[in-house]
Amino acid sequence: MKIRFWGVRGSFAMSGREYLRYGGNTTSVELVTNAGERLLIDLGTGATELAKQLMGSEFGKGQGKLPILLSHTHLDHIQGLPFFTPFFIKGNEIRILGADPNSGSSLETTLQNQLAPHYSPLNGLENLAAGVSIETVRPPATISVPGFEVRTHAVPHGSMWTTAYRISADGKTVTYLSDVEYANLDEPPAEVLALAKDADLLIHDAMHADHDYELRRGWGHSPARAGVVVAERAGAKKLALFHHSPDATDEMIDEVVQRTSARTAVPVFAAAEGSYLDV
Amino acid sequence: MQITFWGVRGSYPVPGAATVRYGGQTSCVEARSAKGECVIVDAGTGMRALGNKLMREANGPQKYNVLLSHVHWDHIQGLPFFSPAYVPGTRIAIHALLTAADELNSVIGGITRHEFFPMPLESVPAAFDFHQVEPGVEFDLGSFHVTPIALNHPFGSVGYRLDCDGSSWAYVADTAPFDQVIHKQHFLKGPEPLSADDKVSLEAMRDALLRRLEGVDTVVYDTHFLPEEYAKFPHYGHSTPDQALEICAEANVRRLVLYHHAPSHSDEQMDQIAARYLAKGEAVGIEVLTSFEGMTLPIGRKVDAPERTNPGVGPA
Ligand SMILES: [Zn+2]
Ligand SMILES: [Zn+2]
Ligand SMILES: [Zn+2]
């Protein structure tokens, strides 16, 4: 299984010279199996970059199939939806899977609201030319997606919940824990540890530098050390710090990686936009 | 009066190496009067950096006036990230056209609903008030005199002429040209045939725009598309620099600023566009500039403030 980070930024897309190495696009992560099956997690602005690449393949001819898992519907995770060009080609089959937000609104209604006529000229999901299905996931359900085995769990994120994913293929496992905050950093919930158990790669919310966290406790995001605790307890083989703060320049992220690595035996890196990596 | 560009991109923010000079953030322009009063036009993602600057300058909570052209995401997404909104005592007045929404506060509030953003508008410390604008109905904001102008864009959009300190500029975005397609309150799969009434409406809209722009010093115009791109997407609601030049020439405008750049246009392409239309403008006696993040332009012929017009030395 290969992975490519198309967007690693949290909350807000950052352009400018200080954000070039890690990248300024909001969250979107692509997984590809050895056999070429593909899966996307989240539709932040990073997805628009992947879209350009996909349009050069079967998606440009209306023959693409893609499942997309959403962690939740905060804008930084769905901002790229109206600009994800494979949606505009008839014949493509795209599944959007995610939990209903815990506001009483369904996933489908929420995405329709995003495309409501005052906000978007698309004026509704029905105007997307591709075949698009919106499928509600009910964590801790297991999802079947061609080529991948996907387990889910709901994890607290401020006043809402995000869906965390454990995705396995080709004998490798990636765990995605973005936009999460545990009541006690030193005691991550058992379900979180189960989801990350022996993962080859743990992608974890690291919105805050450890020294900034106290000011932002309760806002729904983790400091870098939260991912370390999960990785160590769950026996994850590698930790990717993810969902970088819009205030974090490349140099600041370098520093967070250095400090975090110094305290753990688990190999740590900061997720960056770029090339395909082997899991 | 002077204006500063905080976001010049259309549709969605585009970070990365290809956009560092012109900038990747979406629509937001700050206008300043000689006295220092501030009016913000559009609340795209450029508004985050503007808010951070205003916070550094502010001495306690302030009142901010925001004029919205319309409420497509690229024109409102910066609002929840405008840091002065989190300072108690701040007042934010939002002026906008009532388009597809029933109520302005519900449509603006809708961008911060639970599903989209962690904090709902009602919990944001700043006090918001909403004012509906109508094309042609003028009003004053401090020493700014504001004239809303109807534009041709899906579900409606409004431009603004701002007169202040003896000079004027206008914000004409987002808009399609006024010949091939008329935008109404429904989704267009492609260009639809124009009825006789449609043609009359388009002509009236164009005439009203020309009247309002007559003699304006600087016009900031939605020039999202190159002509070859426009030919493919005439129903998307955006114009080309050629169409903007035509309007500006008819209205005797001194200077045209290209704005709302397509997300796909890299810095290199923008350099080419800038050079090509500078020359085209010269041929008809109009100075054509291409906006970039951080560009500041004094408005009026008397240039006594420093002018920054070169994106090569733009901000990081
Ligand atoms: Zn997020
Ligand atoms: Zn979130
Ligand atoms: Zn726009």
Side-chain angles (χ1 to χ4, degrees):
Chain A
M1 180 164 45
K2 284 194 180 342
I3 184 168
R4 181 159 178 182
F5 294 99
W6 292 92
V8 296
R9 193 64 55 175
S11 301
F12 196 85
M14 293 302 287
S15 62
R17 293 192 171 88
E18 297 107 315
Y19 306 97
L20 290 182
R21 276 191 293 119
Y22 291 100
N25 281 299
T26 53
T27 59
S28 191
V29 179
E30 179 194 10
L31 295 173
V32 188
T33 66
N34 296 342
E37 289 121 330
R38 185 182 273 112
L39 170 66
L40 189 63
I41 315 172
D42 281 343
L43 278 170
T45 61
T48 64
E49 291 296 320
L50 166 64
K52 288 178 201 162
Q53 177 184 304
L54 292 180
M55 289 298 278
S57 71
E58 66 272 23
F59 288 88
K61 295 179 233 138
Q63 292 157 9
K65 282 191 178 28
L66 181 68
I68 302 172
L69 306 179
L70 294 183
S71 60
H72 64 311
T73 58
H74 277 161
L75 274 178
D76 51 326
H77 301 262
I78 57 171
Q79 223 176 351
L81 187 156
F83 307 101
F84 190 71
T85 37
F87 282 130
F88 306 142
I89 307 293
K90 203 170 175 210
N92 286 335
E93 285 174 36
I94 304 177
R95 298 167 65 192
I96 300 179
L97 302 99
D100 289 335
N102 56 313
S103 58
S105 174
S106 70
L107 176 64
E108 179 156 1
T109 308
T110 303
L111 299 180
Q112 284 289 15
N113 282 337
Q114 184 193 10
L115 301 186
H118 37 273
Y119 296 140
S120 165
L122 291 174
N123 194 5
L125 292 163
E126 60 280 10
N127 292 317
L128 301 175
V132 180
S133 66
I134 312 291
E135 301 172 34
T136 292
V137 170
R138 290 185 180 77
T142 298
I143 307 172
S144 99
V145 167
F148 299 88
E149 187 200 301
V150 182
R151 283 169 51 196
T152 67
H153 216 283
V155 181
H157 172 43
S159 63
M160 77 179 323
W161 296 81
T162 43
T163 307
Y165 294 100
R166 176 187 174 93
I167 303 165
S168 306
D170 305 327
K172 300 279 178 189
T173 292
V174 173
T175 299
Y176 186 83
L177 277 157
S178 187
D179 297 69
V180 295
E181 185 180 24
Y182 315 124
N184 179 351
L185 290 190
D186 298 309
E187 289 299 334
E191 313 80 61
V192 164
L193 295 178
L195 221 54
K197 178 121 187 65
D198 300 328
D200 296 280
L201 176 64
L202 168 62
I203 300 168
H204 202 283
D205 185 342
M207 174 92 153
H208 306 302
D210 291 330
H211 53 277
D212 286 338
Y213 178 63
E214 282 315 314
L215 293 169
R216 296 175 172 89
R217 190 182 278 276
W219 289 18
H221 291 286
S222 295
R225 75 181 175 91
V228 173
V229 175
V230 174
E232 287 177 345
R233 297 275 186 88
K237 298 189 185 68
K238 211 188 261 182
L239 170 64
L241 305 177
F242 186 68
H243 200 278
H244 310 307
S245 160
D247 292 320
T249 60
D250 288 339
E251 268 99 80
M252 290 162 77
I253 296 175
D254 287 343
E255 210 184 294
V256 170
V257 174
Q258 238 173 31
R259 286 190 198 197
T260 310
S261 305
R263 308 212 290 251
T264 179
V266 179
V268 178
F269 68 103
E273 286 175 33
S275 45
Y276 289 91
L277 310 170
D278 283 311
V279 172
Chain B
M1 180 170 47
Q2 68 169 37
I3 59 174
T4 302
F5 293 83
W6 292 90
V8 298
R9 203 56 69 169
S11 303
Y12 59 93
V14 271
T19 59
V20 281
R21 286 188 298 117
Y22 286 86
Q25 301 296 1
T26 65
S27 313
C28 183
V29 178
E30 171 197 16
R32 284 270 173 178
S33 70
K35 280 195 271 180
E37 300 148 289
C38 158
V39 167
I40 300 164
V41 188
D42 273 342
T45 59
M47 199 188 200
R48 183 182 187 272
L50 167 59
N52 292 344
K53 187 206 67 158
L54 293 172
M55 283 286 276
R56 289 193 295 272
E57 288 174 2
N59 210 340
Q62 306 285 318
K63 170 156 187 182
Y64 300 96
N65 279 299
V66 182
L67 303 174
L68 296 182
S69 59
H70 62 311
V71 296
H72 280 161
W73 283 117
D74 53 327
H75 298 259
I76 55 170
Q77 244 180 95
L79 200 57
F81 298 91
F82 185 63
S83 43
Y86 299 89
V87 176
T90 298
R91 297 193 65 88
I92 300 177
I94 297 189
H95 306 262
L97 189 68
L98 199 61
T99 53
D102 303 329
E103 294 292 342
L104 271 177
N105 56 355
S106 72
V107 76
I108 303 295
I111 67 176
T112 59
R113 53 194 296 150
H114 181 79
E115 298 87 353
F116 293 147
F117 193 72
M119 191 187 282
L121 202 63
E122 312 85 70
S123 312
V124 173
F128 284 84
D129 32 81
F130 299 95
H131 306 272
Q132 187 183 337
V133 303
E134 300 241 27
V137 179
E138 304 174 25
F139 57 97
D140 289 312
L141 294 175
S143 43
F144 293 93
H145 185 72
V146 184
T147 310
I149 313 165
L151 299 176
N152 189 21
H153 196 64
F155 293 85
S157 155
V158 73
Y160 295 96
R161 171 178 171 153
L162 279 87
D163 287 76
C164 180
D165 302 334
S167 192
S168 58
W169 73 285
Y171 183 93
V172 184
D174 292 355
T175 192
F178 306 91
D179 46 9
Q180 296 182 30
V181 175
I182 186 163
H183 290 283
K184 298 180 188 169
Q185 307 285 311
H186 66 269
F187 175 71
L188 294 181
K189 271 205 166 69
E192 291 175 353
L194 295 175
S195 69
D197 281 355
D198 290 340
K199 287 181 189 155
V200 171
S201 307
L202 281 173
E203 205 144 301
M205 212 187 299
R206 187 177 193 276
D207 286 346
L209 174 62
L210 285 174
R211 230 175 23 249
R212 297 301 184 181
L213 294 186
E214 180 61 36
V216 163
D217 181 75
T218 299
V219 173
V220 176
Y221 208 106
D222 170 2
T223 54
H224 190 99
F225 287 131
L226 286 169
E228 55 275 25
E229 295 163 340
Y230 174 79
K232 279 189 247 169
F233 307 110
H235 56 297
Y236 274 26
H238 301 293
S239 301
T240 68
D242 301 84
Q243 290 153 348
L245 253 183
E246 185 191 304
I247 294 282
C248 289
E250 267 186 68
N252 300 305
V253 165
R254 180 175 77 91
R255 178 167 64 181
L256 163 65
V257 184
L258 310 185
Y259 179 69
H260 202 278
H261 310 316
S264 60
H265 291 172
S266 67
D267 286 339
E268 282 66 42
Q269 280 171 288
M270 290 311 307
D271 283 341
Q272 287 166 14
I273 292 168
R276 175 168 156 196
Y277 286 97
L278 183 68
K280 279 201 174 183
E282 267 165 17
V284 293
I286 294 176
E287 183 187 2
V288 178
L289 299 179
T290 301
S291 60
F292 58 90
E293 257 171 64
M295 179 192 237
T296 294
L297 294 175
I299 303 299
R301 279 180 189 281
K302 198 173 139 283
V303 174
D304 51 9
E307 192 161 351
R308 268 201 55 205
T309 56
N310 179 358
V313 295

